Amino acid sequence: MFKIGDSLPAPNFNVVVQPSGWVKQQQAPRPSPRQEAYRQFFTGVLEKLRERFPGLTAARKGLPQSWLSIGAGRTGFNFAVAFARDGKLRVELCIDLGSLEHNKEAFDLLYAQREEIEKEVGQALSWEELPRARRIAVYTDGTVEEPPERLNQLQDWAVEMLGRFARVFRDRIAALPKGLGTRE
């Protein structure tokens, strides 16, 4: 029996037996082999990116998903590397400011500089109007199931393209109108 101060006595119970598994352990599901391949691929991209373009990202580990996204210096703008469904690897600038109107405005302002942008990147780009967001991208053939040597080449290509995109787009993104993307 327990008693605190002037309180009435209370029983003291000790657990002697309990069902097995009484406390349910929560474990994260194991990634599939494909998810693990994505994680390894994008972790390699990040390692090479930090080495080749210091300061572009502080991220260190890829996630078990088919894309990697890093900030482009302003909310609503991201650089990404993604495996597309059609056997392609894509590097992109994604514009998603929260409204179709703002996405279109930012995209159109960049599109007006298309010739100069493509010249600076060194190749033609795909200017894509998605249902909500906008994408400016470059593609190459490749899947996460490629042999190690080819995956290494794809990582190098992605890092080079991310570096070019950052160099070409960051100042242009910063120069877009200040009210763009603000929710009123």
Side-chain angles (χ1 to χ4, degrees):
M1 294 289 211
F2 281 109
K3 190 172 178 176
I4 300 173
D6 293 334
S7 70
L8 295 172
N12 178 20
F13 295 105
N14 292 320
V15 176
V16 178
V17 177
Q18 69 184 24
S20 63
W22 183 258
V23 178
K24 189 174 181 179
Q25 296 287 331
Q26 198 78 1
Q27 285 187 332
R30 289 190 182 269
S32 70
R34 184 182 192 92
Q35 289 173 321
E36 187 55 38
Y38 286 138
R39 182 194 331 257
Q40 289 177 9
F41 179 84
F42 289 120
T43 297
V45 167
L46 287 168
E47 289 169 358
K48 291 177 178 190
L49 192 61
R50 284 192 324 277
E51 183 179 308
R52 184 119 197 295
F53 300 102
L56 194 56
T57 183
R60 297 199 171 277
K61 287 182 78 176
L63 298 175
Q65 59 194 22
S66 63
W67 75 95
L68 167 74
S69 180
I70 61 174
R74 185 171 173 179
T75 301
F77 296 85
N78 291 295
F79 298 121
V81 180
F83 285 99
R85 293 177 191 239
D86 57 356
K88 302 278 187 190
L89 180 63
R90 166 179 75 230
V91 171
E92 66 184 45
L93 168 63
C94 180
I95 303 168
D96 190 354
L97 297 164
S99 82
L100 184 59
E101 179 185 329
H102 287 131
N103 295 343
K104 181 178 176 1
E105 182 181 351
F107 181 83
D108 290 347
L109 288 168
L110 292 171
Y111 189 83
Q113 304 171 58
R114 180 180 179 169
E115 273 187 46
E116 186 179 333
I117 287 171
E118 291 182 347
K119 183 178 178 184
E120 289 178 34
V121 170
Q123 66 186 83
L125 301 175
S126 178
W127 297 77
E128 303 169 19
E129 297 185 26
L130 306 174
R132 184 178 123 174
R134 298 294 186 258
R135 175 190 299 147
I136 304 167
V138 61
Y139 293 83
T140 193
D141 292 329
T143 69
V144 77
E145 291 92 10
E146 303 282 348
E149 183 179 310
R150 177 67 179 139
L151 288 174
N152 188 50
Q153 292 169 347
L154 290 172
Q155 287 173 336
D156 290 342
W157 177 85
V159 166
E160 175 63 28
M161 288 296 122
L162 282 170
R164 289 184 195 182
F165 270 50
R167 179 179 46 81
V168 171
F169 284 108
R170 281 223 162 149
D171 288 343
R172 286 180 169 89
I173 292 167
L176 291 172
K178 295 293 180 216
L180 198 62
T182 58
R183 296 189 176 118
E184 300 168 40

